[in-house]
Amino acid sequence: MEERPGTRRPYARQSWPPARTPKTPEPAGEDPLPPSARWYGTPADPHPRRLPRWVVRSLTIAGSLAVGLSLIAGAVVVVLRAVSPEPAVQVVSDALAGVRLRLPEGWAQRPVAPVTAFTSAAADAAGGAMVMAMPGPPLGGGSPREAALKASELYGRLLLHGDTVSVAEDAAIAVGGATGHARAVVAQYKDVVNRPAYLRVIVVDRGPRTLLLVAIAQPDDARARAAIGQVIKGATVG
């Protein structure tokens, strides 16, 4: 049927199914991702890649070994501290004089007493302070103080040779549970070479016989006196 001029068809005949509009290709050089991905970045993989089992097992074993070695090292340090011996306390045992002297740190026993008749001696490392012991004569009806006075005069002349001598102590004392008397003197010198010297004599009453302790320090100072006092205080009379 011919179409008359000036007339139009109510609708154009279309084929079924309708033809699909060809998809517009992506611009060259643009990442083919959805708009959200372009805006916020590439989405993360919800299933991250796992390490192989042998790698995980090796790391676990290495960590266990490191922890075990650290524990063993700590235990060794604790054991060494526990079994390390304490510094031995030096003791001078004088059977003839009947006394035991506990020496402070830095002191040692002298192999031979520097003064005749003394049976034992101990001195500090510097040699400035010394304590000597010997069995004393019987009191013979006298007192420990009288014996201490005589001994201090004797050893003051023999050991000090001071230009002037002053009394620093004259009092009763207890040594190792036994009673006695202590007398100390300080010697001064006129020359500038010799510094003041300290002498302390202790007579301990032991019944039929006595114990004589003589301590000397030169130069005289508080440290030397304290060390001598420590030796006397720690003495045990047998």
Side-chain angles (χ1 to χ4, degrees):
M1 181 174 180
E2 296 181 358
E3 181 179 356
R4 295 179 181 180
T7 63
R8 296 179 63 183
R9 292 182 182 182
Y11 59 88
R13 180 178 295 178
Q14 298 179 0
S15 61
W16 189 263
R20 296 183 178 180
T21 304
K23 187 176 181 181
T24 303
E26 294 286 339
E30 186 176 355
D31 190 11
L33 294 175
S36 62
R38 295 193 190 102
W39 240 169
Y40 301 104
T42 306
D45 186 0
H47 302 289
R49 182 179 298 177
R50 297 182 177 179
L51 295 175
R53 291 185 177 180
W54 67 271
V55 176
V56 176
R57 186 180 300 109
S58 300
L59 293 176
T60 303
I61 294 174
S64 301
L65 288 176
V67 173
L69 290 176
S70 63
L71 292 176
I72 292 174
V76 170
V77 172
V78 172
V79 171
L80 289 177
R81 290 179 179 176
V83 301
S84 58
E86 294 292 333
V89 178
Q90 295 194 39
V91 178
V92 176
S93 297
D94 189 340
L96 295 177
V99 67
R100 286 169 53 90
L101 303 176
R102 292 172 56 90
L103 304 183
E105 184 178 358
W107 281 58
Q109 181 176 5
R110 293 283 298 267
V112 179
V115 180
T116 304
F118 283 91
T119 53
S120 62
D124 64 353
M130 181 184 302
V131 176
M132 299 177 290
M134 66 176 291
L139 293 177
S143 65
R145 183 178 183 275
E146 293 175 352
L149 290 176
K150 293 179 181 179
S152 64
E153 292 176 0
L154 172 63
Y155 292 104
R157 291 194 304 269
L158 293 176
L159 302 177
L160 298 182
H161 303 287
D163 295 314
T164 61
V165 178
S166 59
V167 178
E169 179 186 11
D170 188 0
I173 189 174
V175 178
T179 60
H181 196 89
R183 183 175 176 87
V185 297
V186 177
Q188 303 282 347
Y189 303 91
K190 294 180 180 179
D191 58 74
V192 296
V193 177
N194 291 313
R195 300 175 62 183
Y198 174 78
L199 176 71
R200 190 183 190 194
V201 176
I202 299 175
V203 175
V204 180
D205 187 2
R206 297 178 55 215
R209 296 187 64 85
T210 59
L211 166 66
L212 178 62
L213 297 172
V214 174
I216 187 170
Q218 189 179 22
D220 175 28
D221 55 31
R223 181 195 59 82
R225 291 194 188 191
I228 290 173
Q230 185 177 352
V231 174
I232 302 301
K233 185 177 180 180
T236 302
V237 178

